[in-house]
Amino acid sequence: MHKAAAQLAASQWRAAFDPGALTRGERYAAQDRVSQLSIESNLITAVCRGSAGQHYSQRIQLGSSGMSVMGRCNCPVGYNCKHCVAVIVQVLQQADGDKSEYRATTSSSEQ
């Protein structure tokens, strides 16, 4: 597991996002809208396809301990948006190797 993925898995990253962004971002990840995913140290970059087919670029910076998440996107929201959630979910899914297991875990923890 990449260091950034391990930091995310151990952190409370979801607290940095509003509930609507979490729901929509998880849906985007399930629809495989994330591409060009790259992880270097504590920086994650990617591109996420929006609802009208446009492509938005994300730069997600993790704090040194992984406890803070600062997601920038060139969409109208701009900060910690659904596109950033989709990227984080994709990183965690790739680290786990099983998308359905991740979705089941997050769904049950949300209830």
Side-chain angles (χ1 to χ4, degrees):
M1 179 181 290
H2 192 279
K3 179 183 173 186
Q7 288 176 329
L8 284 167
S11 75
Q12 298 294 319
W13 67 268
R14 298 171 68 77
F17 297 88
D18 71 65
L22 288 168
T23 300
R24 292 186 300 275
E26 289 172 346
R27 188 177 316 124
Y28 277 25
Q31 295 170 345
D32 292 323
R33 293 179 182 233
V34 176
S35 63
Q36 300 178 29
L37 181 61
S38 173
I39 304 171
E40 286 190 36
S41 187
N42 290 346
L43 178 66
I44 303 167
T45 59
V47 172
C48 184
R49 184 172 37 88
S51 56
Q54 66 280 42
H55 290 83
Y56 296 115
S57 300
Q58 296 74 47
R59 288 180 56 87
I60 302 166
Q61 184 71 47
L62 305 179
S64 59
S65 65
M67 298 314 258
S68 64
V69 175
M70 295 174 289
R72 298 284 181 196
C73 182
N74 65 342
C75 75
V77 173
Y79 180 75
N80 283 3
C81 63
K82 62 188 175 188
H83 307 106
C84 292
V85 171
V87 171
I88 291 171
V89 170
Q90 187 73 41
V91 167
L92 292 170
Q93 287 173 347
Q94 287 182 2
D96 286 346
D98 185 352
K99 295 178 183 183
S100 61
E101 180 181 322
Y102 177 78
R103 282 197 298 270
T105 301
T106 57
S107 295
S108 63
S109 67
E110 292 298 303
Q111 297 176 356

